[in-house]
Amino acid sequence: GEDVEQSLFLSVREGDSSVINCTYTDSSSTYLYWYKQEPGAGLQLLTYIFSNMDMKQDQRLTVLLNKKDKHLSLRIADTQTGDSAIYFCAETPGGYQKVTFGIGTKLQVIP
Amino acid sequence: GAGVSQTPSNKVTEKGKYVELRCDPISGHTALYWYRQSLGQGPEFLIYFQGTGAADDSGLPNDRFFAVRPEGSVSTLKIQRTERGDSAVYLCASSLAGGGRDYEQYFGPGTRLTVT
């Protein structure tokens, strides 16, 4: 079945790097996403990676993909208090349209 | 320009009642998606429209749930005989086409449905 797994909670100090990990199950997923959800706000696509890539960097964000282990990670450099949110890993099993989300990792940034 | 809007923002209804949730996608977006997010969970796919037709409704939990998009723009999610387990935030998203980064899904703020 389709199941994206993430740890529930991560706490880091402001200025440190944050690493949020995820495992997914469907090797046919074409895209893997990281979404951010702030309290009372909608989901925002942070970044994505094609399944044929190993790494993608976008300013403070680095996404690493290990297809063999079906492991995806999101690294946030120089974490700020504004980065406090819930981060969802998501995959597109079997195509493009249906996005399967993980349970979300709550990132707490301590000033 | 305007983003995806959903109405109402909150809906409280009694068990057994019928509800309709509305989604106004971004103008020009041909694809529209409905998701359900229960407390402490990630969004769960319900249905996807490409134009007026439901291209994938595999996520609808049972036949009490139905969605339409008659003119290829606004969509309505309809829930009959609501149950307390239907309580959740219902999210709508739209994209230019079928998916992928070039067809990023833009999410609305959601409708919080509470069934008492």
Side-chain angles (χ1 to χ4, degrees), chain A residues 67-107:
Chain A
K67 282 196 73 174
K68 175 178 171 290
D69 296 335
K70 297 191 182 72
H71 183 265
L72 184 74
S73 69
L74 173 69
R75 178 178 181 270
I76 305 172
D78 186 26
T79 313
Q80 303 297 306
T81 54
D83 296 324
S84 294
I86 299 175
Y87 291 81
F88 293 95
C89 172
E91 62 174 339
T92 53
Y96 300 96
Q97 297 84 18
K98 178 180 175 179
V99 179
T100 300
F101 289 84
I103 196 170
T105 299
K106 184 174 183 178
L107 175 64

Side-chain angles (χ1 to χ4, degrees), chain A residues 51-68:
Chain A
S51 57
N52 62 358
M53 296 170 64
D54 297 324
M55 186 183 85
K56 179 178 178 181
Q57 187 150 4
D58 185 0
Q59 299 182 345
R60 293 191 297 120
L61 306 178
T62 303
V63 179
L64 295 177
L65 175 61
N66 180 330
K67 282 196 73 174
K68 175 178 171 290

Side-chain angles (χ1 to χ4, degrees), chain A residues 13-78:
Chain A
R13 293 204 174 274
E14 189 174 18
D16 289 349
S17 292
S18 308
V19 179
I20 303 172
N21 295 301
C22 162
T23 57
Y24 62 98
T25 57
D26 196 320
S27 58
S28 70
S29 287
T30 308
Y31 295 90
L32 295 143
Y33 300 103
W34 284 103
Y35 280 85
K36 179 181 181 182
Q37 188 174 44
E38 295 177 90
L43 277 165
Q44 173 194 358
L45 179 64
L46 266 184
T47 187
Y48 72 102
I49 189 167
F50 288 106
S51 57
N52 62 358
M53 296 170 64
D54 297 324
M55 186 183 85
K56 179 178 178 181
Q57 187 150 4
D58 185 0
Q59 299 182 345
R60 293 191 297 120
L61 306 178
T62 303
V63 179
L64 295 177
L65 175 61
N66 180 330
K67 282 196 73 174
K68 175 178 171 290
D69 296 335
K70 297 191 182 72
H71 183 265
L72 184 74
S73 69
L74 173 69
R75 178 178 181 270
I76 305 172
D78 186 26

Side-chain angles (χ1 to χ4, degrees), chain B residues 1-109:
Chain B
V4 177
S5 62
Q6 293 185 244
T7 53
S9 55
N10 279 284
K11 176 72 177 178
V12 180
T13 191
E14 292 179 348
K15 179 175 178 293
K17 298 289 188 184
Y18 167 83
V19 296
E20 289 190 351
L21 311 179
R22 176 187 168 110
C23 172
D24 281 86
I26 293 172
S27 177
H29 280 193
T30 60
L32 185 145
Y33 312 78
W34 284 98
Y35 295 84
R36 175 170 71 174
Q37 187 173 19
S38 300
L39 189 63
Q41 302 293 317
E44 173 192 17
F45 171 83
L46 295 177
I47 187 170
Y48 152 62
F49 287 90
Q50 184 61 263
T52 61
D56 184 349
D57 65 357
S58 62
L60 294 178
N62 52 59
D63 62 6
R64 295 187 297 106
F65 288 75
F66 189 70
V68 297
R69 195 186 185 200
E71 297 177 359
S73 178
V74 171
S75 176
T76 304
L77 178 66
K78 308 180 181 193
I79 310 174
Q80 298 177 322
R81 304 183 304 280
T82 52
E83 300 177 356
R84 291 192 181 91
D86 298 335
S87 296
V89 175
Y90 289 81
L91 297 168
C92 177
S94 70
S95 69
L96 276 171
R101 180 61 178 95
D102 288 343
Y103 310 114
E104 175 182 346
Q105 293 185 27
Y106 292 83
F107 281 81

